[in-house]
Amino acid sequence: MDLLNTLVDKGLRRELPTREEALAVLATSDDELLDVVAAAGKVRRQWFGRRVKLNYLVNLKSGLCPEDCSYCSQRLGSTAGILKYTWLKPDEASQAAAAGVAGGAKRVCLVASGRGPTDRDVERVSRTIEAIKEQNEDVEVCACLGLLSAGQADKLRTAGADAYNHNLNTSEGTYGEITTTHTYADRVDTVQQAQAAGLSACSGLIAGMGETDEDLVDVVYALRELDPDSVPVNFLIPFEGTPLAKEWNLTPQRCLRILAMVRFVCPDVEVRIAGGREVHLRTLQPLALHLANSIFLGDYLTSEGQAGKTDLEMIADAGFEVEGTDTVTLPEHRADALAAAGCGSHGQGGCGSHGESEGAAHGEGEGAGGCGPCGSARQEPEPALAAAEHEASDARTDLVAVRRRGAGTDLAPNA
């Protein structure tokens, strides 16, 4: 296909595709799917080889969030039967993080539900970061605490944080349909505060809430402009007890097209398959490794993930290798730009250029800290098609399992 050849050429040059080209990727047929994966895979291998970075989530404080993000199991008014607990102590969080590191994780993501941290919360998380670094000096630590106030990003970096996650989630034009207690601009501001403090910015999106192709392209192009160092791609986990519980709009093929589009638009950025990969990609998860170079290991914030051992076997069976702590994740040009920005000694394994790449002038988890997956405007399908899609996907609700082990419990984590 001329389209795919063009996109590969642009990806190898770090050139921004046109919006029409990005939309065309999402519109390809199932007959063309393997061609799309192969083309995006060329771009992925150019910048990341066959390495897969492993990340591990630690939910520091679960549930009871005052924000009303419609997708989130921890939201205000959620009746999802998730674990609810207040702040883990630094040693408890460090112990949970150690399980992920032992399983091969290179980055630990510390997440807490809520609108944003108080200064006391930042001090608490800072002690947790220090405890983790004492045990595992080389591990990257990413904080995900919600909207930041002035000076808080600097304090986290001083404590040893390498990165900060805050996802855009969806397009600016449709953000208000999903969340009313904060704005899209609030999210952009927090990502920019993290970047200004020298933290590696992590910001991504959520797919699967009935959004249009245009919505998906809008948010991915906004991310390209914001230029985070890693882009998590979440697929909605429709928890019972949340407003989006009935939104089963994804197929494995759709997920692969979305990941391919993100790779073409953000060719040299760490693309991470985040929440919902087991639910929606299912047996096609190995194909997604040809598109993304990063995944979460084991469980998520409030839901169970694939067993960590199975993750490792999947990576090996697909012909990929787990990225070691001695390897810089991003290409040299992005890592060098990050070092020049003043954070080269913190987390260069997952950092980027903040506008270095051509066309760039133009952020884990599944809902806590105001950082998780979000949706956008509903696209009403044809009635017959809608019925068929829901009949097909409703059969897989058994794949959504609430986390009952790991952080906040007495049971061993899944890592």
Side-chain angles (χ1 to χ4, degrees), residues 28-343:
T28 52
S29 68
D30 286 351
D31 288 342
E32 301 165 314
L33 182 62
L34 289 181
D35 294 328
V36 172
V37 172
K42 291 179 181 178
V43 178
R44 181 250 201 265
R45 289 192 300 277
Q46 164 73 16
W47 301 113
F48 301 97
R50 301 188 73 83
R51 294 176 282 113
V52 178
K53 180 177 178 178
L54 298 181
N55 309 268
Y56 188 70
L57 283 165
V58 177
N59 196 348
L60 296 178
K61 180 169 72 76
S62 182
L64 307 175
C65 183
E67 303 299 284
D68 68 355
C69 307
S70 298
Y71 54 80
C72 184
S73 60
Q74 304 185 78
R75 74 186 296 272
L76 178 69
S78 169
T79 59
I82 62 169
L83 292 169
K84 296 182 175 67
Y85 53 85
T86 189
W87 289 95
L88 297 181
K89 297 177 181 178
D91 61 330
E92 294 172 327
S94 179
Q95 183 177 2
V101 174
K106 181 176 178 177
R107 172 175 287 190
V108 172
C109 305
L110 303 176
V111 189
S113 62
R115 178 179 177 84
T118 64
D119 288 342
R120 182 181 178 185
D121 293 336
V122 170
E123 292 175 3
R124 188 196 320 263
V125 175
S126 295
R127 292 194 298 273
T128 298
I129 294 169
E130 291 165 357
I132 291 172
K133 292 281 188 174
E134 285 177 6
Q135 286 193 1
N136 301 280
E137 182 179 358
D138 295 331
V139 71
E140 298 173 12
V141 176
C142 178
C144 176
L145 311 174
L147 302 174
L148 293 174
S149 301
Q152 290 182 331
D154 294 292
K155 292 178 181 177
L156 290 169
R157 183 172 183 270
T158 298
D162 302 287
Y164 196 83
N165 165 261
H166 201 63
N167 295 335
L168 296 187
N169 291 328
T170 190
S171 63
E172 181 176 12
T174 58
Y175 191 85
E177 298 180 22
I178 293 297
T179 302
T180 67
T181 48
H182 59 266
T183 67
Y184 179 92
D186 291 333
R187 288 184 174 270
V188 171
D189 177 68
T190 285
V191 176
Q192 291 174 336
Q193 284 192 53
Q195 290 172 324
L199 290 167
S200 169
C202 174
S203 188
L205 66 140
I206 173 64
M209 290 174 274
E211 66 274 348
T212 65
D213 286 357
E214 288 77 10
D215 292 327
L216 285 172
V217 170
D218 281 350
V219 68
V220 175
Y221 273 68
L223 288 165
R224 168 86 182 224
E225 181 177 359
L226 191 59
D227 197 25
D229 305 324
S230 55
V231 175
V233 180
N234 293 279
F235 302 110
L236 175 70
I237 301 176
F239 277 95
E240 291 297 329
T242 65
L244 299 185
K246 304 303 179 185
E247 293 289 341
W248 287 84
N249 304 303
L250 295 172
T251 64
Q253 295 85 354
R254 171 76 169 169
C255 294
L256 290 173
R257 292 187 193 96
I258 292 168
L259 287 168
M261 185 268 288
V262 174
R263 174 55 72 199
F264 286 130
V265 176
C266 304
D268 59 340
V269 170
E270 178 191 342
V271 175
R272 182 180 310 138
I273 318 173
R277 69 174 162 94
E278 299 90 343
V279 175
H280 296 293
L281 281 163
R282 301 192 285 275
T283 57
L284 295 193
Q285 289 181 68
L287 279 180
L289 296 177
H290 291 272
L291 308 170
N293 61 295
S294 182
I295 66 171
F296 280 106
L297 178 73
D299 291 333
Y300 299 96
L301 297 176
T302 62
S303 66
E304 289 188 359
Q306 187 167 273
K309 181 176 182 291
T310 303
D311 287 335
L312 298 175
E313 291 173 347
M314 176 183 73
I315 291 168
D317 289 348
F320 292 86
E321 60 183 16
V322 174
E323 182 174 289
T325 57
D326 58 345
T327 302
V328 176
T329 299
L330 287 191
E332 185 177 359
H333 63 273
R334 292 189 67 94
D336 288 349
L338 178 68
C343 66

